[in-house]
Amino acid sequence: MTPPLRVAVVGAGPAGIYAADILTTKDPEASVDIFDRLPTPYGLIRYGVAPDHPRIKAIIVALHRVLENERIRFIGNVHVGVDVKVDELRHYYDAVVFATGAERDRSLRIPGEDLPRSYGAADFVAFYDSHPDREQTWDLSQQRSVAVIGVGNVGLDVARILARSADELLATDIPPHVHAALADSTITDVHMFARRGPAQAKFTPVELRELDHSPNVQVLVAPEGMEFDAESEAALGRSKSLRMVVDVLSDWAMRDPRPGPHRRIHIHFLENPVEILGSAGADGGVTGLRTERQELTGDGSVRGTGEFTDWDVQAVYRAVGYRSEAIEDLPFDTFRLVLPNDGGRLIDLDGDRMPGLYATGWVKRGPVGLIGHTKSDAAETIANLLADAPDLTPAPHRSPADVDALLAGKGLPLTDFAGWDRLDAHELTAGEPVGRGRVKVISRAEMTRIAARA
């Protein structure tokens, strides 16, 4: 008789939790342990979504319900590939699903990218979301005008946080040190640059409109970039969402700057960044951004015109996409920056299947699509896992107690789902005296201590 399926999911963000939910729903006898290297679940919802986006953060309510399933365990503070090797997990689980996401920045590959004050958007996001393993200081006091390269939703988030006043964010979950850094900002102008035209923009209508909601911010679109070719017009005909985006941009391109002591976000289309200007060294840093004017070619592509502009900016934020990181002992596609797979089934670099190993989410398909797309992506992976299940080699050590013994032997300061509820309650309580929804705990050690309370 085949024993009930035992599966490990690596990564407790939406992708991993959706995979666990679908698996335990499709197979009423299966059990899942979800590992995360952080002491908390929810991944990018907690550490990748801008604090002024409560609508998106509300997805945590649905994810919490999944983790209440008695056949799903959350095990935090375990870095798979470091604390526990992949081959070790294979002794305790019939299959392992990797859902480790993508939280590092892709490279622009232009001169000056490594200058001081040339930042990756992922690093700034990790700062304002207070990721425990990332930088907790940020100096905005020496910048008057900054550039954001990229016009996806992450670029919009970065531009909006840079432009809004710090006090507008006091109702969110930003901790005091983030508020202090934003309050110290001297930024007056944020310039967003897109290599292609408005019909090729990647943001969604809701995200775009939110850019203009602050009374302290005015959004302006450079009219000279509002160009369309045959493919652009065809794209607008195919997508109602894109048409809505372009309608908003067109309205903004026609309005005049308003006077007053406020900040401005300028959106420039058909401007390709070719060099970040400045000097290296302790006293150096970004002093400008050089772009080349582009023109549409008729098929949705662009080409350079040889016309260059130097923009006076004191910092550059590169929002050109996230990338996943390799996991020790697993193959990694260094071109697509994902785990090589076929429908979620991991394959080695020769294209051969790796039985019992799977991927879902951004580490499977790259950092594209909204959170809702992650559920259908997980459904594909789990369907293939269940189809393979009769042929998987059963793990020799199958009980949760066996896993607990393995981890106890490594001396790891583990957290669990009940511990997350304790930490969650602590943060919510800390927010009450100051009239805020929650105040985040920043330190990994402090989060672990609070979560461990009996």
Side-chain angles (χ1 to χ4, degrees):
M1 180 175 172
T2 303
L5 197 61
R6 287 275 293 153
V7 175
V9 172
V10 182
I17 295 176
Y18 286 146
D21 184 34
I22 294 168
L23 176 60
T24 53
T25 300
K26 297 289 186 183
D27 183 344
E29 295 187 340
S31 61
V32 179
D33 287 348
I34 306 179
F35 293 87
D36 203 283
R37 63 185 178 85
L38 292 172
T40 60
Y42 308 134
L44 69 84
I45 303 296
R46 181 170 168 90
Y47 291 118
V49 173
D52 58 346
H53 269 168
R55 173 181 54 84
I56 299 176
K57 286 181 176 290
I59 294 172
I60 282 177
V61 174
L63 299 180
H64 188 279
R65 284 197 295 267
V66 174
L67 292 178
E68 291 175 329
N69 186 330
E70 63 182 10
R71 289 184 290 123
I72 297 175
R73 291 201 304 171
F74 168 69
I75 305 174
N77 268 335
V78 179
H79 192 171
V80 173
V82 178
D83 298 326
V84 179
K85 303 298 184 183
V86 174
D87 285 346
E88 283 185 283
L89 286 184
R90 301 304 307 279
H91 293 286
Y92 297 85
Y93 300 96
D94 306 319
V96 182
V97 180
F98 295 91
T100 48
E103 59 175 37
R104 296 291 180 176
D105 288 287
R106 285 180 176 265
S107 173
L108 262 178
R109 297 180 181 174
I110 63 173
E113 187 171 11
D114 296 326
L115 286 171
R117 297 194 305 277
S118 170
Y119 305 114
D123 291 332
F124 186 54
V125 171
F127 164 70
Y128 65 60
D129 276 332
S130 302
H131 192 293
D133 299 337
R134 306 287 279 277
E135 183 61 58
Q136 297 297 330
T137 61
W138 208 278
D139 185 5
L140 299 170
S141 65
Q142 305 300 315
Q143 303 165 23
R144 182 189 73 259
S145 182
V146 302
V148 176
I149 300 174
V151 289
N153 284 342
V154 173
L156 291 180
D157 284 350
V158 169
R160 191 180 64 257
I161 296 296
L162 288 170
R164 294 189 73 178
S165 68
D167 285 352
E168 288 181 85
L169 298 170
L170 277 176
T172 74
D173 62 5
I174 65 166
H177 74 283
V178 177
H179 176 264
L182 296 174
D184 203 29
S185 172
T186 54
I187 293 171
T188 60
D189 292 88
V190 178
H191 294 268
M192 300 185 69
F193 294 94
R195 183 176 66 89
R196 298 199 294 169
Q200 289 78 44
K202 298 299 183 185
F203 34 63
T204 56
V206 172
E207 301 283 345
L208 180 62
R209 291 193 190 101
E210 287 182 352
L211 202 62
D212 200 43
H213 282 178
S214 168
N216 302 308
V217 178
Q218 183 178 23
V219 185
L220 302 165
V221 176
E224 58 270 20
M226 294 296 293
E227 297 183 9
F228 303 87
D229 59 7
E231 175 53 31
S232 299
E233 296 293 349
L236 293 176
R238 294 190 297 265
S239 171
K240 181 180 178 181
S241 175
L242 181 59
R243 170 61 71 181
M244 293 167 65
V245 165
V246 168
D247 285 346
V248 172
L249 292 170
S250 298
D251 287 343
W252 291 349
M254 290 187 291
R255 64 185 179 185
D256 296 324
R258 68 172 185 258
H262 58 271
R263 293 174 178 172
R264 293 164 293 276
I265 297 175
H266 311 262
I267 304 178
H268 308 272
F269 290 101
L270 296 172
E271 293 286 354
N272 183 37
V274 295
E275 184 177 359
I276 299 173
L277 308 175
S279 59
D283 298 326
V286 171
T287 58
L289 176 70
R290 179 168 295 158
T291 63
E292 182 183 11
R293 181 72 181 167
Q294 306 293 290
E295 61 184 8
L296 297 165
T297 60
D299 60 358
S301 300
V302 294
R303 58 177 168 239
T305 65
E307 178 185 344
F308 296 90
T309 302
D310 289 352
W311 304 85
D312 180 18
V313 297
Q314 295 80 53
V316 171
Y317 292 79
R318 310 179 309 274
V320 293
Y322 288 173
R323 62 175 175 83
S324 298
E325 295 183 282
I327 299 170
E328 188 172 336
D329 298 326
L330 292 182
F332 192 68
D333 184 333
T334 56
F335 177 73
R336 295 183 58 227
L337 301 174
V338 297
L339 294 176
N341 70 91
D342 180 8
R345 296 178 170 110
L346 290 198
I347 56 178
D348 62 25
L349 296 180
D350 294 323
D352 296 326
R353 287 267 307 279
M354 304 180 70
L357 298 179
Y358 301 84
T360 190
W362 282 0
V363 77
K364 168 189 174 183
R365 71 182 190 274
V368 293
L370 304 175
I371 292 173
H373 298 138
T374 302
K375 187 174 289 188
S376 59
D377 185 62
E380 178 189 52
T381 294
I382 296 304
N384 286 332
L385 188 161
L386 290 173
D388 298 342
D391 299 320
L392 295 176
T393 302
H397 307 290
R398 309 193 55 77
S399 76
D402 291 333
V403 176
D404 294 343
L406 168 71
L407 299 175
K410 295 178 179 292
L412 300 174
L414 304 179
T415 57
D416 59 14
F417 185 53
W420 158 250
D421 277 343
R422 285 189 287 272
L423 175 60
D424 185 40
H426 174 92
E427 293 183 340
L428 294 173
T429 300
E432 290 175 1
V434 290
R436 301 174 61 190
R438 80 169 60 231
V439 174
K440 270 185 180 178
V441 176
I442 303 159
S443 158
R444 176 189 284 267
E446 182 68 1
M447 282 191 283
T448 302
R449 184 188 67 78
I450 294 168
R453 287 178 182 166

